[in-house]
Amino acid sequence: MNNDQIKERILQWFPEAEIPAETGQYLNVIVTPEMLHPLAEKLRYSADTKFDYLFCLTGVDWVTHLMVVYHLDSTKFGHEMVLKVKIPDRVDPVVDTVCDIWKTAEFHEREVYDLFGVKFRNHPDLRRILLEDDWEGYPMRKDYKDEANIVEL
Amino acid sequence: MTLLNFSIYDFSALINSIDAWLVETFSPTLGHLIGLVLVGTCFLIFTALLGLSLVYIERKICAFFQQRLGPMRVGFWGTAQTVADIIKLLFKESLITKKSDKFLFNLAAFVIMMAPFIVLSAIPFAKGLQALDLNIGLFFIISVSSIGVTGILLAGWSSNNKYSLIGAMRSGAQIVSYELSVAISLMTIVILTGSLQLSEIIASQSDGWWIFKGNIPAIIAFGVYIIASTAETNRGPFDMAEAESEITAGFHTEYSGIKFAFFFLAEYVNFFIISAVGATVFFGGWMPLHIGDATFFNSAMDVIPPIVWFFGKIAVIMFFIMWFKWTFPRLRIDQLLTLEWKYLLPISIINLLLMSIVALKGWHF
Amino acid sequence: MITDKTVLGSETQEYFINMGPQHPSTHGVLRLLLTLDGEIIRKVEPHMGYIHRSIEKMCEKDSYQQIVHLTDRMDYLSCHINNEAVCLTVEQGLQLEIPERVKVIRTIISELTRLSSHQLWWGVMGMDLGAITTFLYGFRDREMITDIFEETCGARLTMNYNVPGGLMFDIHPNFQKRTKDFISYFKTKLPEYKELLTGNVIFEERTKGIGYISKEDVISYGVTGPSGRGSGFSCDIRKHHPYSAYDRVQFKEILYEDGDSYARYMVRMDEMVESMHIIEQLIDNIPEGDYKAKTKAVIKLPAGEYYKRVETARGELGVYIISDNKKSPYRVKFRSPGFSNLSALDTMARGCKIADLVAMMSTLDLVIPDIDR
């Protein structure tokens, strides 16, 4: 499937999904936290999309909101797309986990939780992964302050 | 005073004259006592020198297998390297883990040293150079050398370290199993000699070594012996008990300083002993290479002193065992036990049977 | 989690072992929390982050030229490929036309890096299985490659040969000759590798059927590189999304279907042959031209998102740069192959023995700084 067909298919499933018009490297789809899990499941298991390979999962702090970015690839068809979840709540950001769909998400979601503080609902083992267990704050957020370790120039 | 009655070919005159002189000079009881102390001291010195030289030799040989030079800095070609290492080990702090069983922890290092030390006394080094010529010599060696495993188990148990415990358990399973094959393969030759006494086993090879005379079963027995004895001394590729890439250093993980040196030394003395027993039973010990009635050839071979023959044979066997270690990857514990119980043991039992038939029919030479 | 059971009348208990952070076969500071039943592994829980240096956070303060230098320190065994990945992403953002010469040289050095990484892996793999000799054989041959690197760019390990737009400077006049010498030398040495380890009965016993992982699991866990290809997952970025000069060379993507330690081992052994094949095709055909495209002193990427996938010696490395048109990126993410590969370890290791775990970790070829970043 090419990008237009994937776009059409996603809009068919979830008409409220936001698909920016600009043509970047990949097709971008921005969804709300509620839509994420059902859409991910459909993308993974539908016979004509088959996005079975999650090759990157990361977070971005856009100051006004947080975003979790999923880079998807289909090993069968070779098409790629980017799924983005916009989380407006910075204090208590919660998204459903996708590690029941792609197992690699388990570690990657722990990393996003560790560095951005996004909580993944239903995650089997949501702990800090890179930092110590008693670390305070989420370092990759733009408003993170650590005067002892980060020298501001 | 007949102390100068010394011959490199026969030590019995020398030993007897020393004994006579001691008894003459002191009272018979004191004389024998001093004799015992002297023998003990000789073995202590021998063990220490053996450890030093074997560590150096192994390092050099392993270095050449690995296309490098090995120790080169201390002394000529690094010969003083092991001495330097021993000095370092002597000065190191002897650490003991918290909550370990301190008594057993210390005891283990001595137990493990004891077994090879006792066994050494039964090894015939040259004609007349043997501390203890028991009529059950081979049986004595096999049984006493098993004490060593107690030391390993004690060390693993008392260290309060799970790696040590795993190492000790592995080692226990391994040594207990492989001892069977070692004993049976040695028994195969005993069928031919009809005696367990080491001096008689050697004497029976005065017209040729058993590996040549004993037909095919002797060669099979030697193969089994080499594999099983390598396993019994915890050397690679059977060094499961101290597999450094899996369980750090196994049973001696927690030992440091001189106690660690004991483990190290015991390992090398054990290595020497299995080579020595192999050489004695299969290759005639200090007996020079003789071929039946070829008198000229035999007397030419006799020119080389027995002690050179003995250490030469040991060196060859040791080289092969080192070659195994530095070439093969390590087995896994279950494969190790499979090898013993499913292959080596049945082979050696059948081989024993075969040898009995050979001995009965007189097919050996 | 601890379960008791009775075996032959005596009660047994599962127990834990912390394998690492200081352990000879975790190859760095990785801690594996093992749940064991005797010697059988019931669960493996990796704990990482002991050398987390927050490279991604540092990147947010650095200029694009500086980022390249940080990436050496992730997967230090395929440092050139890491550098190349960042440069390719920045070049993609700038829509820069790269001289052909640069593309070819980058490809040759990438393949040399892959060879040296695989040589080191081979040595370490043997050592983990108890054959220490292989380690020194691997290093002996690797020495020649590091010498070539040293002559070309002054460094032996963390090379920093790439800059956005091209290379730091041109190749050394001896480069082609020495590379060809190395290839002809290594062709005679590779059979030695096979004699020492591949054909060994003990080695086959230790690796065949051990550490099995299915193709579905490999894709789901995102296990890439030789580890993934050992399970039949066709994931070679060089083939599927060619970059630099990979589109003009002939090479096979090595695929094995068995999914065990032996298959992963064989993939790397065969890949060494393919790497030499790639270098042979390019080494005599390095086009003349500049070694660097013209770039501004201060690089500002247009606002937007850029993602580049490259194939390192360990698997797929993704560089994800979000730019807001400033001199340093807004967000950088490195999708490191080791991180995903490690996540599959638990699935592979359950039911195996401790000794097998060590062999498995070797075939995954983990580099800890790559996992921790």
Side-chain angles (χ1 to χ4, degrees):
Chain A
M1 284 173 106
N2 61 26
N3 284 355
D4 290 335
Q5 286 167 310
I6 297 170
K7 185 172 164 183
E8 202 176 290
R9 178 55 53 90
I10 291 168
L11 287 175
Q12 197 181 324
W13 288 328
F14 293 95
E16 63 274 31
E18 183 189 336
I19 301 182
E22 94 242 33
T23 49
Q25 194 179 355
Y26 300 119
L27 171 75
N28 283 291
V29 179
I30 303 173
V31 295
T32 59
E34 292 75 39
M35 274 157 61
L36 171 74
H37 196 269
L39 178 58
E41 216 160 21
K42 279 211 161 69
L43 287 171
R44 165 72 179 83
Y45 293 110
S46 290
D48 51 354
T49 50
K50 275 258 183 259
F51 285 103
D52 52 356
Y53 174 31
L54 175 70
F55 63 89
C56 186
L57 192 167
T58 189
V60 185
D61 181 9
W62 287 110
V63 183
T64 50
H65 58 271
L66 291 170
M67 189 176 258
V68 182
V69 185
Y70 303 81
H71 285 76
L72 302 175
D73 188 342
S74 166
T75 55
K76 191 176 174 199
F77 302 110
H79 48 226
E80 296 154 315
M81 66 167 285
V82 182
L83 190 61
K84 295 176 174 175
V85 193
K86 200 170 169 180
I87 314 162
D89 187 358
R90 280 177 65 89
V91 183
D92 184 27
V94 181
V95 193
D96 280 325
T97 180
V98 291
C99 66
D100 50 335
I101 304 169
W102 299 284
K103 288 177 189 162
T104 183
E106 187 178 333
F107 271 34
H108 281 96
E109 282 176 353
R110 275 176 71 186
E111 188 188 319
V112 172
Y113 166 73
D114 193 357
L115 302 176
F116 291 92
V118 178
K119 292 180 188 69
F120 291 90
R121 204 183 291 128
N122 301 330
H123 190 284
D125 186 21
L126 195 63
R127 284 179 295 123
R128 285 190 180 272
I129 189 166
L130 294 173
L131 306 174
E132 292 117 76
D133 290 342
D134 54 356
W135 193 276
E136 278 175 26
Y138 303 104
M140 288 301 282
R141 287 200 187 182
K142 292 286 174 187
D143 55 0
Y144 180 76
K145 286 271 179 291
D146 183 353
E147 271 148 21
N149 294 317
I150 300 177
V151 182
E152 297 282 344
L153 293 174
Chain B
M1 273 307 293
T2 45
L3 260 183
L4 294 171
N5 189 3
F6 174 73
S7 153
I8 192 87
Y9 297 102
D10 192 349
F11 285 88
S12 48
L14 176 73
I15 304 288
N16 288 339
S17 62
I18 294 173
D19 191 45
W21 179 76
L22 282 170
V23 174
E24 223 171 86
T25 319
F26 307 96
S27 68
T29 326
L30 194 62
H32 283 301
L33 210 63
I34 293 174
L36 285 179
V37 173
L38 273 179
V39 171
T41 320
C42 283
F43 275 122
L44 262 183
I45 295 166
F46 175 73
T47 323
L49 290 178
L50 185 73
L52 282 181
S53 45
L54 275 183
V55 170
Y56 176 74
I57 290 166
E58 169 134 50
R59 276 187 185 178
K60 276 291 180 195
I61 287 178
C62 126
F64 291 128
F65 277 127
Q66 298 172 346
Q67 307 203 341
R68 57 193 176 90
L69 290 172
M72 288 295 279
R73 299 284 174 88
V74 193
F76 176 71
W77 270 62
T79 36
Q81 181 66 53
T82 42
V83 181
D85 286 346
I86 287 290
I87 295 171
K88 184 201 79 174
L89 282 173
L90 279 171
F91 282 103
K92 269 189 132 179
E93 188 187 355
S94 198
L95 295 165
I96 297 182
T97 357
K98 245 186 205 172
K99 291 187 180 167
S100 63
D101 192 330
K102 291 192 181 50
F103 174 69
L104 292 183
F105 188 79
N106 291 323
L107 185 69
F110 294 100
V111 171
I112 203 150
M113 227 8 248
M114 217 160 65
F117 202 69
I118 299 172
V119 173
L120 216 48
S121 64
I123 303 282
F125 289 91
K127 200 172 185 183
L129 200 63
Q130 186 179 11
L132 212 59
D133 192 13
L134 295 169
N135 57 354
I136 48 158
L138 206 53
F139 181 65
F140 174 79
I141 289 175
I142 293 168
S143 50
V144 172
S145 62
S146 342
I147 297 178
V149 71
T150 330
I152 293 176
L153 284 173
L154 280 182
W157 177 258
S158 62
S159 289
N160 190 25
N161 180 326
K162 285 170 191 164
Y163 288 126
S164 303
L165 192 61
I166 295 175
M169 289 305 155
R170 281 180 176 191
S171 163
Q174 177 184 343
I175 292 178
V176 168
S177 331
Y178 275 85
E179 225 146 49
L180 288 168
S181 286
V182 170
I184 291 175
S185 57
L186 291 176
M187 285 309 127
T188 318
I189 300 300
V190 171
I191 291 179
L192 294 174
T193 64
S195 168
L196 286 164
Q197 193 166 2
L198 285 168
S199 56
E200 275 192 29
I201 292 178
I202 292 168
S204 69
Q205 301 181 66
S206 60
D207 57 342
W209 302 341
W210 282 125
I211 189 97
F212 302 130
K213 287 201 298 173
N215 220 330
I216 296 161
I219 295 166
I220 297 174
F222 181 66
V224 171
Y225 176 78
I226 278 287
I227 297 172
S229 57
T230 312
E232 213 196 324
T233 46
N234 282 332
R235 282 186 65 83
F238 308 103
D239 53 344
M240 235 75 12
E242 46 199 287
E244 71 285 327
S245 61
E246 295 155 23
I247 47 173
T248 60
F251 58 92
H252 58 63
T253 306
E254 296 294 346
Y255 284 86
S256 64
I258 193 66
K259 271 182 265 173
F260 169 73
F262 277 175
F263 281 96
F264 213 61
L265 193 58
E267 195 185 312
Y268 277 100
V269 178
N270 271 327
F271 179 29
F272 174 81
I273 286 168
I274 56 137
S275 315
V277 172
T280 307
V281 175
F282 295 97
F283 293 95
W286 47 260
M287 187 63 76
L289 178 61
H290 288 167
I291 304 173
D293 304 325
T295 330
F296 177 72
F297 179 78
N298 291 355
S299 50
M301 284 292 148
D302 284 339
V303 174
I304 303 167
I307 196 144
V308 176
W309 276 107
F310 181 68
F311 281 102
K313 288 167 192 173
I314 289 180
V316 171
I317 296 179
M318 277 184 165
F319 178 77
F320 273 96
I321 296 180
M322 283 182 190
W323 194 353
F324 295 158
K325 171 158 181 169
W326 299 111
T327 312
F328 289 133
R330 190 182 298 120
L331 272 88
R332 207 171 54 212
I333 183 70
D334 57 324
Q335 292 167 345
L336 181 89
L337 296 177
T338 312
L339 176 70
E340 162 64 13
W341 293 102
K342 284 196 181 160
Y343 300 100
L344 288 187
L345 192 60
I347 287 174
S348 48
I349 289 175
I350 291 166
N351 192 39
L352 187 71
L353 208 69
L354 210 66
M355 187 55 116
S356 323
I357 296 166
V358 167
L360 265 177
K361 296 270 180 188
W363 284 339
H364 62 93
F365 304 106
Chain C
M1 194 181 291
I2 291 181
T3 52
D4 295 344
K5 66 175 185 195
T6 314
V7 178
L8 298 172
S10 55
E11 211 170 79
T12 68
Q13 204 179 50
E14 287 184 354
Y15 64 106
F16 298 107
I17 271 196
N18 273 311
M19 197 162 161
Q22 300 295 331
H23 190 279
S25 64
T26 52
H27 303 301
V29 275
L30 171 71
R31 176 158 67 98
L32 300 175
L33 182 57
L34 309 182
T35 310
L36 294 168
D37 175 12
E39 280 221 22
I40 298 161
I41 293 163
R42 293 284 173 233
K43 192 168 183 242
V44 181
E45 209 180 302
H47 287 246
M48 49 241 178
Y50 287 91
I51 39 171
H52 175 60
R53 292 144 300 175
S54 202
I55 287 177
E56 290 167 14
K57 184 82 179 172
M58 286 199 276
C59 289
E60 292 178 9
K61 291 275 188 292
D62 289 343
S63 70
Y64 288 99
Q65 286 95 333
Q66 286 171 316
I67 290 174
V68 180
H69 304 298
L70 292 174
T71 54
D72 277 344
R73 276 79 187 169
M74 294 197 311
D75 179 357
Y76 50 81
L77 291 178
S78 33
C79 51
H80 179 87
I81 311 176
N82 291 359
N83 295 162
E84 191 181 352
V86 178
C87 294
L88 286 170
T89 323
V90 175
E91 284 152 14
Q92 180 192 336
L94 293 172
Q95 292 183 332
L96 211 58
E97 201 49 55
I98 305 300
E100 288 299 303
R101 185 178 177 80
V102 174
K103 287 186 181 173
V104 172
I105 293 173
R106 275 181 180 175
T107 311
I108 294 171
I109 296 193
S110 286
E111 289 311 310
L112 281 175
T113 312
R114 194 183 315 279
L115 267 172
S116 87
S117 170
H118 283 354
Q119 283 166 346
L120 189 138
W121 156 82
W122 180 80
V124 170
M125 167 101 201
M127 198 171 67
D128 280 344
L129 290 169
I132 301 164
T133 306
T134 60
F135 186 68
L136 289 125
Y137 277 59
F139 265 77
R140 175 195 66 190
D141 301 335
R142 188 170 175 270
E143 195 64 21
M144 289 188 77
I145 298 184
T146 42
D147 283 345
I148 295 172
F149 289 163
E150 190 181 12
E151 198 177 56
T152 307
C153 59
R156 291 165 67 85
L157 188 66
T158 50
M159 289 147 48
N160 284 322
Y161 192 39
N162 280 306
V163 285
L167 304 165
M168 205 68 110
F169 26 70
D170 211 347
I171 47 170
H172 193 274
N174 283 344
F175 178 75
Q176 276 159 298
K177 186 186 169 295
R178 290 190 72 164
T179 309
K180 275 187 274 187
D181 285 350
F182 166 74
I183 297 290
S184 53
Y185 163 82
F186 192 55
K187 276 195 170 154
T188 64
K189 291 295 171 190
L190 205 56
E192 207 171 71
Y193 283 30
K194 293 194 172 161
E195 275 170 33
L196 202 55
L197 215 55
T198 315
N200 190 306
V201 185
I202 300 176
F203 176 77
E204 287 186 2
E205 284 284 314
R206 283 291 305 275
T207 47
K208 275 190 178 162
I210 301 297
Y212 173 76
I213 185 160
S214 66
K215 189 179 174 184
E216 286 69 40
D217 274 347
V218 157
I219 296 172
S220 185
Y221 275 114
V223 178
T224 50
S227 313
R229 291 196 281 280
S231 294
F233 174 25
S234 166
C235 57
D236 198 332
I237 305 296
R238 294 176 293 173
K239 267 271 189 257
H240 293 284
H241 306 276
Y243 55 95
S244 292
Y246 285 111
D247 48 355
R248 71 191 72 163
V249 287
Q250 300 288 319
F251 66 100
K252 283 204 294 284
E253 183 183 7
I254 312 292
L255 283 178
Y256 277 76
E257 303 290 331
D258 302 337
D260 56 1
S261 290
Y262 189 74
R264 292 189 283 274
Y265 171 88
M266 285 311 289
V267 169
R268 287 196 179 84
M269 294 303 278
D270 292 356
E271 250 182 30
M272 284 201 248
V273 180
E274 290 303 313
S275 287
M276 286 196 283
H277 187 48
I278 294 174
I279 296 171
E280 275 178 334
Q281 292 173 52
L282 292 173
I283 192 70
D284 283 325
N285 306 317
I286 301 178
E288 293 299 318
D290 283 337
Y291 60 87
K292 196 181 170 192
K294 278 213 157 41
T295 49
K296 286 177 187 157
V298 177
I299 294 175
K300 282 183 182 173
L301 283 194
E305 297 179 3
Y306 310 98
Y307 195 99
K308 191 77 194 169
R309 304 163 74 176
V310 298
E311 179 80 15
T312 75
R314 256 140 282 275
E316 174 183 340
L317 174 76
V319 180
Y320 180 38
I321 295 181
I322 301 176
S323 169
D324 56 350
N325 201 15
K326 293 215 176 73
K327 67 180 169 55
S328 43
Y330 184 79
R331 163 100 176 104
V332 178
K333 157 80 184 170
F334 296 110
R335 184 264 188 220
S336 61
F339 191 76
S340 301
N341 290 4
L342 178 66
S343 63
L345 186 62
D346 184 35
T347 313
M348 287 182 196
R350 283 190 189 203
C352 289
K353 297 206 163 51
I354 301 178
D356 293 334
L357 177 74
V358 173
M360 252 173 261
M361 277 177 51
S362 293
T363 54
L364 281 180
D365 197 10
L366 302 172
V367 165
I368 310 304
D370 180 40
I371 296 167
D372 287 350
R373 281 157 294 154

